[in-house]
């Protein structure tokens, strides 16, 4: 069960998400990580809320990974 990352209210630091990095936008390659900071100020964004992962990578959230469903 995953939800899309277009609503800022559904994204919190510490949750696991799949993001698309800026350089991966043409291919759509996903990167999984844990949210450290939320960078988008608006309540929603059509391309996904921009976040910084704990690894330091920045990208737009494509899906939120429900706890316990990580592969």
């Amino acid at each position: 069960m995953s939800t899309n990352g277009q609503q800022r209210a559904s994204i919190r630091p510490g949750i696991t998400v799949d993001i698309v990095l800026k350089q991966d936008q043409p291919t759509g390659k996903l990167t999984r990580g844990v949210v450290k900071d939320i960078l988008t100020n608006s309540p929603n964004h059509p391309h996904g809320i921009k976040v910084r992962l704990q690894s330091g990578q920045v990208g737009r959230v494509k899906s939120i990974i429900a706890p316990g469903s990580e592969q």
Side-chain angles (χ1 to χ4, degrees), residues 5-51:
Q6 295 178 354
Q7 300 296 321
R8 191 177 192 276
S10 61
I11 298 172
R12 298 178 313 282
I15 66 170
T16 302
V17 295
D18 283 337
I19 67 168
V20 175
L21 302 173
K22 182 77 171 171
Q23 67 266 26
D24 292 334
Q25 284 176 349
T27 63
K29 177 178 172 279
L30 296 176
T31 302
R32 183 162 291 183
V34 178
V35 175
K36 180 180 179 189
D37 300 308
I38 301 171
L39 304 177
T40 298
N41 288 323
S42 63
N44 52 54
H45 192 285
H47 299 123
I49 300 298
K50 188 178 279 188
V51 298

Side-chain angles (χ1 to χ4, degrees), residues 52-71:
R52 178 180 297 115
L53 300 180
Q54 289 179 345
S55 63
Q57 296 168 300
V58 173
R60 294 198 180 274
V61 176
K62 290 301 171 191
S63 60
I64 298 167
I65 309 304
S69 68
E70 290 93 351
Q71 279 107 6

